[in-house]
């Protein structure tokens, strides 16, 4: 098995998928597998319940979905989870664009960190892991959308090389209220 470790202690292991070994707070980031469906469903529903404005779907819709659908979602995606021991603290995903003209781009999706895990570097570790995974997949441009009033997330993303390039007005609508999203991109071909 070939393993490569970068300066952040992130290890890419071909046979086992993605894993990140981090000293701080004993947080470990790894790819979620179908057998993690119950953990993924739990944290996804929590995010939809507590931060509903940040997601395109709703708690009610996803709560009605069977566990097998979450397993299938994990089987067909690159979703990472941050763990402290057996407890999942946060999630983030990488969605690679399809088609010959857009396969150089990907989107950071589904980012959520539990309130008790915030300000401990968990979000930073997840985003760094997604960036590293994108680079390993040959992605040149990593994009994301973040609700405009989420200043901590915008600051985190900017600190990791993402640049704001636009605002999607009225991007999401829930309960008669609109939410704007800030569009950000990180040129992974740029020298750090």
């Amino acid at each position: 098995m070939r393993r490569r470790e970068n300066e952040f202690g992130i290890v890419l292991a071909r046979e086992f998928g993605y894993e990140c070994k981090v000293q701080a707070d004993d947080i470990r980031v790894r790819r979620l597998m179908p057998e993690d469906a119950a953990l993924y469903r739990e944290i996804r529903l929590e995010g939809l319940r507590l931060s509903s404005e940040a997601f395109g779907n709703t708690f009610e819709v996803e709560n009605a979905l069977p566990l097998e659908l979450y397993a299938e979602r994990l089987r067909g995606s690159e979703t990472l989870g941050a763990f402290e021991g057996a407890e999942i603290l946060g999630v983030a995903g990488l969605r690679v664009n399809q088609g010959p003209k857009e396969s150089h781009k990907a989107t950071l999706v589904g980012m959520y960190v539990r309130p008790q895990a915030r300000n401990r570097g968990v979000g930073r570790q997840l985003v760094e892991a997604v960036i590293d995974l994108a680079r390993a997949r040959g992605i040149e441009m990593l994009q994301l959308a973040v609700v405009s009033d989420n200043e901590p997330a915008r600051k985190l993303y900017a600190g990791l090389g993402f640049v704001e390039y636009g605002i999607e007005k009225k991007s999401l609508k829930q309960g008669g209220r609109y939410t704007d999203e800030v569009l950000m991109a990180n040129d992974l071909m740029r020298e750090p």
Side-chain angles (χ1 to χ4, degrees):
M1 171 178 67
R2 184 170 174 264
R3 295 172 78 100
R4 180 178 64 83
E5 183 168 335
N6 72 8
E7 70 231 33
F8 301 109
I10 294 173
V11 177
L12 295 175
R14 180 174 297 173
E15 285 81 8
F16 299 109
Y18 186 84
E19 183 177 38
C20 175
K21 295 181 179 179
V22 181
Q23 306 281 326
D25 293 329
D26 295 321
I27 306 300
R28 171 175 62 86
V29 176
R30 67 169 175 82
R31 184 173 179 179
L32 296 180
M33 305 306 287
E35 48 272 13
D36 296 312
L39 287 172
Y40 176 60
R41 181 179 191 272
E42 174 190 323
I43 196 166
R44 173 79 178 167
L45 291 176
E46 178 183 307
L48 289 166
R49 194 178 72 252
L50 299 179
S51 300
S52 61
E53 72 286 348
F55 294 94
N57 213 341
T58 66
F59 173 84
E60 293 76 18
V61 168
E62 292 215 12
N63 190 41
L65 300 176
L67 186 60
E68 180 51 39
L69 195 87
Y70 285 89
E72 194 59 37
R73 189 182 288 176
L74 291 175
R75 192 172 289 112
S77 71
E78 296 194 270
T79 303
L80 306 179
F83 290 83
E84 184 172 42
E87 182 185 4
I88 189 165
L89 303 177
V91 291
L94 178 71
R95 182 183 311 137
V96 178
N97 291 11
Q98 301 300 308
K101 294 183 180 181
E102 292 198 3
S103 61
H104 67 291
K105 298 187 297 184
T107 307
L108 188 156
V109 296
M111 176 78 174
Y112 176 73
V113 175
R114 288 189 154 150
Q116 68 270 24
R118 294 176 187 165
N119 299 312
R120 292 179 51 200
V122 174
R124 172 175 284 279
Q125 291 172 30
L126 279 166
V127 176
E128 287 173 345
V130 170
I131 290 170
D132 209 51
L133 181 59
R135 282 192 172 118
R137 300 286 182 265
I139 299 302
E140 299 173 19
M141 182 68 64
L142 184 59
Q143 300 171 312
L144 62 85
V146 57
V147 292
S148 60
D149 62 353
N150 189 342
E151 287 299 327
R154 289 171 67 180
K155 184 177 177 183
L156 169 67
Y157 298 137
L160 291 170
F162 287 86
V163 176
E164 295 183 9
Y165 68 90
I167 296 178
E168 185 177 350
K169 295 285 190 183
K170 297 183 176 182
S171 177
L172 302 170
K173 182 180 178 182
Q174 183 177 10
R177 181 178 172 265
Y178 293 100
T179 303
D180 297 340
E181 286 189 310
V182 175
L183 307 176
M184 302 181 79
N186 189 336
D187 181 354
L188 300 181
M189 301 298 289
R190 165 183 49 78
E191 290 296 319

